[in-house]
């Protein structure tokens, strides 16, 4: 798919794919590199107003998320090189760039799905098993919202606040991660259901330094349907 | 004016901190003070402010067009002020940390790597005070005399230093600061980055210049264009005059030259 032209570029060949059968051993060795691209939003940039401004959505998606993807791809290419050459110190040196940019890509991809316009059901509380689980674990929806907002507001610096599911114990958890660390860095069994970006770029142009206001308003556009889907997949 | 009261410091301020700290721990339940807190009639005598918000050494619009008035108003009037007020609120609750200078407070609350909850606010107050003073209207250009000499000695050339500084700023993952510091042990200048509120004072380095790379520092003016912000800082904002003054003071603590020991 995407890596065939990449392969031929790397090999300096212009042969068609039929040749790859005879060079099958080289193909598996090179094992084409998957490059990532910016996922589309399923809504317009301005569709989440007034909770999140169109200006922020556009910048956040087209500039910030794109930058993470670009740098992630670059780091992966460099990593592939380093692995091929057996350059261990480069391999280790690249880990922080991969964690940061790869994490940024993972987290933002989830984030776009966590949001939806009011007209599409944004803000509507979850019915079904997730709603029931929330009531069981946290007492009520309001209590959960309070907890997440409080933890998000208290986070120093940059990071994310998550509602996650521990797929082993089947328990819901609220947790935070710093910078672009994905939720899985807080526990290998944690599956993110909902993530809220509390980096300043996520709200500054609109809410300035009043992060609590951002956290209060974002609930109006949270896509609980998606969170329920993920939950039901893990807890059928 | 700005920061707290003056304490006559002994030869080692570190010693003062440990003494003070251990005193505080022994008598942590100061009964008369606790009583004062609950006794409403004593409200008037309750200490409410420990540290003040120091104003930058220029008017808030003096850094236009490189750093807008809006940014200064938000950054200084909002963020910096919140840190000061947050710190004062924390200090209200507990007298152990009362009476330090800002420098000492940062080091004490850092607690050798296990920071107390007050560290974040204290360090950010210090960091921002330092940052405003690291800039001036009509700044940028190049350092002169001793500072330039030291930079050339430790980085090879000013261009090389500038490159390193910019690179550090652009490769900072998350929120943090970039610093030009004078390292005491190594007796040389270095460019370092710190995350969130960490400050090189805690490692006993002497900061010379700093740049705030938290997004709130540049987002209103430059959105996500970090490169432009950093270059504008280097070209138009950084105050080499202040750096010179700080270096001069630092030389009281670090011997940068080789001692001229006479051969008999």
């Amino acid at each position: 798919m995407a890596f065939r032209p990449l392969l031929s570029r790397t090999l300096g060949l212009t042969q068609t794919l039929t040749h790859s059968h005879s060079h099958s051993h080289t193909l598996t060795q090179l094992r084409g590199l998957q490059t990532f691209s910016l996922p589309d939003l399923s809504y317009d940039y301005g569709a989440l107003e007034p909770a999140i401004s169109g200006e922020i959505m556009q910048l956040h998606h087209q500039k910030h998320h794109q930058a993470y993807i670009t740098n992630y791809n670059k780091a992966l290419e460099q990593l592939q090189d380093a692995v091929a050459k057996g350059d261990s110190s480069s391999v280790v040196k690249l880990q922080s760039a991969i964690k940061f940019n790869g994490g940024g890509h993972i987290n933002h991809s989830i984030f776009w799905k966590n949001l939806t316009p009011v007209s599409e059901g944004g803000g509507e509380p979850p019915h079904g098993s997730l709603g029931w689980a929330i009531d069981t674990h946290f007492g009520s929806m309001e209590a959960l919202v309070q907890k997440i907002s409080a933890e998000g507001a208290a986070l120093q610096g940059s990071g994310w606040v998550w509602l996650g599911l521990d797929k082993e114990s089947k328990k819901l958890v609220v947790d935070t991660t710093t910078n672009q660390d994905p939720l899985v860095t807080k526990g290998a069994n944690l599956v993110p259901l909902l993530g809220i970006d509390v980096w300043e770029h996520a709200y500054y142009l609109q809410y300035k330094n009043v992060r609590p206001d951002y956290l209060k308003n974002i609930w109006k556009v949270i896509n609980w349907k998606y969170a329920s889907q993920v939950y039901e997949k893990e807890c059928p | 004016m700005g920061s707290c009261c003056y304490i006559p410091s002994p030869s080692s301020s570190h010693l003062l901190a440990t003494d003070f700290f251990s005193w505080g721990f022994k008598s942590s339940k100061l009964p008369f003070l606790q009583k004062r807190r609950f006794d409403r009639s004593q409200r008037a005598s309750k200490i409410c402010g420990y540290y003040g918000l120091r104003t930058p050494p220029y008017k808030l619009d003096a850094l236009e067009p490189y750093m807008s008035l809006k940014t200064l108003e938000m950054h200084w009037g909002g963020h910096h002020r919140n840190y000061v007020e947050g710190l004062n609120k924390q200090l209200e609750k507990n007298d152990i940390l009362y009476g330090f200078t800002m420098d000492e407070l940062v080091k004490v609350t850092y607690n050798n790597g296990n920071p107390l909850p007050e560290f974040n606010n204290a360090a950010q107050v210090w960091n921002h005070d330092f940052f405003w003073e690291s800039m001036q209207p009509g700044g940028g250009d190049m350092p002169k005399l001793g500072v330039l000499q030291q930079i050339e000695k430790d980085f090879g050339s000013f261009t090389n230093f500038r490159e390193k500084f910019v690179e550090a700023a652009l490769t900072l993952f998350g929120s943090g600061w970039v610093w030009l510091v004078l390292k005491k042990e190594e007796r040389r200048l270095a460019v370092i980055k710190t995350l969130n509120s960490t400050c090189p004072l805690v490692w006993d380095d002497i900061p010379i210049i700093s740049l705030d790379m938290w997004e709130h520092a540049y987002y209103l003016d430059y959105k996500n264009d970090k490169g432009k912000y950093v270059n504008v800082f280097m070209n138009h904002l950084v105050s080499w005059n202040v750096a010179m003054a700080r270096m001069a003071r630092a030389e009281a603590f670090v011997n940068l030259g080789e001692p001229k020991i006479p051969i008999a």
Side-chain angles (χ1 to χ4, degrees):
Chain A
M1 209 199 64
F3 46 85
R4 260 180 241 136
L6 190 74
L7 259 175
S8 48
R9 202 176 64 218
T10 342
L11 288 169
L13 302 165
T14 45
Q15 288 118 325
T16 55
L17 199 60
T18 45
H19 279 259
S20 64
H21 289 295
S22 51
H23 298 285
S24 55
H25 61 286
T26 359
L27 235 176
T28 46
Q29 268 180 348
L30 270 151
R31 199 177 304 195
L33 187 63
Q34 168 119 28
T35 48
F36 296 91
S37 54
L38 190 65
D40 284 327
L41 303 183
S42 55
Y43 40 82
D44 286 332
Y45 289 131
L48 301 179
E49 304 229 359
I52 306 181
S53 73
E55 191 190 9
I56 290 185
M57 287 306 293
Q58 183 169 13
L59 271 167
H60 204 172
H61 183 242
Q62 284 181 354
K63 291 274 153 65
H64 289 270
H65 191 177
Q66 181 62 67
Y68 288 124
I69 290 175
T70 310
N71 291 329
Y72 181 42
N73 286 334
K74 198 164 75 179
L76 284 176
E77 218 181 292
Q78 290 172 332
L79 178 70
Q80 194 187 39
D81 261 347
V83 169
K85 291 195 201 119
D87 182 358
S88 298
S89 79
S90 292
V91 168
V92 174
K93 207 164 60 154
L94 284 164
Q95 296 308 312
S96 66
I98 289 181
K99 185 180 185 195
F100 182 67
N101 292 299
H105 173 51
I106 294 172
N107 294 339
H108 285 89
S109 302
I110 298 174
F111 189 48
W112 308 136
K113 292 192 239 167
N114 282 151
L115 302 171
T116 193
V118 177
S119 55
E120 306 278 330
E124 241 184 68
H127 309 290
S129 53
L130 179 59
W132 184 86
I134 289 177
D135 284 340
T136 317
H137 284 111
F138 300 101
S140 66
M141 230 345 233
E142 288 74 35
L144 174 66
V145 167
Q146 268 276 52
K147 185 165 206 264
I148 295 182
S149 301
E151 298 218 5
L155 200 153
Q156 292 300 337
S158 311
W160 292 72
V161 60
W162 302 93
L163 171 66
L165 168 71
D166 184 326
K167 57 184 176 190
E168 264 215 33
S169 66
K170 304 292 184 204
K171 283 215 166 85
L172 290 176
V173 294
V174 169
D175 209 346
T176 57
T177 56
T178 50
N179 294 346
Q180 292 297 350
D181 294 355
L183 183 60
V184 76
T185 56
K186 278 296 193 80
N189 293 316
L190 294 178
V191 175
L193 302 176
L194 205 102
I196 300 183
D197 191 350
V198 291
W199 279 64
E200 284 170 333
H201 65 237
Y203 60 89
Y204 209 74
L205 292 177
Q206 188 179 351
Y207 293 96
K208 306 292 186 314
N209 69 330
V210 195
R211 197 194 279 175
D213 276 357
Y214 160 68
L215 288 168
K216 200 167 66 174
N217 287 321
I218 198 174
W219 294 104
K220 305 190 184 130
V221 288
I222 289 288
N223 185 1
W224 284 107
K225 271 188 262 192
Y226 171 74
S228 292
Q229 272 168 24
V230 179
Y231 180 79
E232 277 153 25
K233 205 171 96 185
E234 296 293 334
C235 302
Chain B
M1 216 211 76
S3 21
C4 187
C5 62
Y6 163 80
I7 308 172
S9 45
S11 50
S12 164
S13 64
H14 171 72
L15 203 60
L16 171 72
T18 3
D19 278 352
F20 203 104
F21 219 87
S22 52
W23 171 84
F25 261 79
K26 281 196 215 116
S27 51
S28 55
K29 292 255 190 282
L30 302 157
F32 57 95
L33 275 167
Q34 283 212 311
K35 184 165 183 253
R36 197 182 288 165
R37 232 169 272 155
F38 292 126
D39 189 344
R40 294 216 163 235
S41 61
Q42 296 275 348
R43 260 275 175 108
S45 57
K46 186 174 164 194
I47 302 164
C48 292
Y50 294 86
Y51 296 93
L53 178 63
R54 201 189 287 184
T55 52
Y58 37 76
K59 297 235 287 274
L60 293 185
D61 61 358
L63 300 180
E64 294 259 12
Y66 308 111
M67 196 177 269
S68 64
L69 168 66
K70 219 166 61 158
T71 298
L72 259 300
E73 282 177 338
M74 255 337 311
H75 198 174
W76 175 78
H79 292 266
H80 193 178
R81 190 186 298 276
N82 280 345
Y83 287 125
V84 173
E85 288 175 357
L87 178 62
N88 286 338
K89 268 206 204 81
Q90 284 174 316
L91 294 178
E92 244 177 47
K93 299 185 196 143
N94 194 336
D95 267 19
I96 293 179
L97 294 171
Y98 175 59
F100 289 106
T101 62
M102 275 316 300
D103 283 39
E104 292 168 339
L105 186 64
V106 169
K107 288 191 202 167
V108 164
T109 48
Y110 184 65
N111 199 20
N112 285 313
N114 208 354
L116 307 176
E118 292 83 355
F119 174 72
N120 194 60
N121 284 326
Q124 282 293 71
V125 172
W126 193 93
N127 290 337
H128 283 90
D129 282 341
F130 189 85
F131 178 52
W132 303 131
E133 288 164 12
S134 298
M135 295 190 289
Q136 66 170 81
D141 210 13
M142 286 204 21
K144 300 184 185 60
L145 308 173
V147 178
L148 181 59
Q149 265 174 27
Q150 192 66 35
I151 288 183
E152 287 177 341
K153 178 161 168 242
D154 293 327
F155 294 97
S157 68
F158 178 71
T159 325
N160 198 22
F161 152 72
R162 193 184 187 285
E163 248 177 55
K164 281 225 153 47
F165 194 86
V166 171
E167 191 202 331
L170 297 179
T171 55
L172 209 163
F173 291 156
S175 306
W177 301 76
V178 187
W179 307 80
L180 171 65
V181 295
L182 181 62
K183 293 204 156 273
K184 266 199 196 154
E185 294 292 309
E186 299 164 46
R187 300 192 299 154
R188 52 166 294 143
L189 291 172
V191 168
I192 61 174
K193 10 183 200 187
T194 61
L195 294 180
N196 290 355
S197 53
T198 315
C199 164
L201 278 188
V202 305
W203 301 309
D204 228 15
D205 290 335
I206 304 178
I208 304 292
I209 286 284
S210 79
L211 174 58
D212 191 350
M213 287 307 294
W214 282 62
E215 285 178 324
H216 63 238
Y218 59 87
Y219 215 76
L220 292 178
D221 294 335
Y222 300 98
K223 307 277 184 333
N224 75 320
D225 198 344
K226 289 202 283 203
K228 194 150 168 237
Y229 166 63
V230 183
N231 279 303
V232 160
F233 173 81
M234 290 305 283
N235 293 340
H236 299 286
L237 289 173
V238 64
S239 172
W240 289 115
N241 290 332
V242 150
M244 209 158 24
R246 289 169 176 164
M247 275 292 276
R249 182 181 173 274
E251 294 197 48
F253 298 90
V254 183
N255 185 1
L256 287 172
E258 289 307 318
K260 287 200 173 74
I261 302 171
I263 306 162

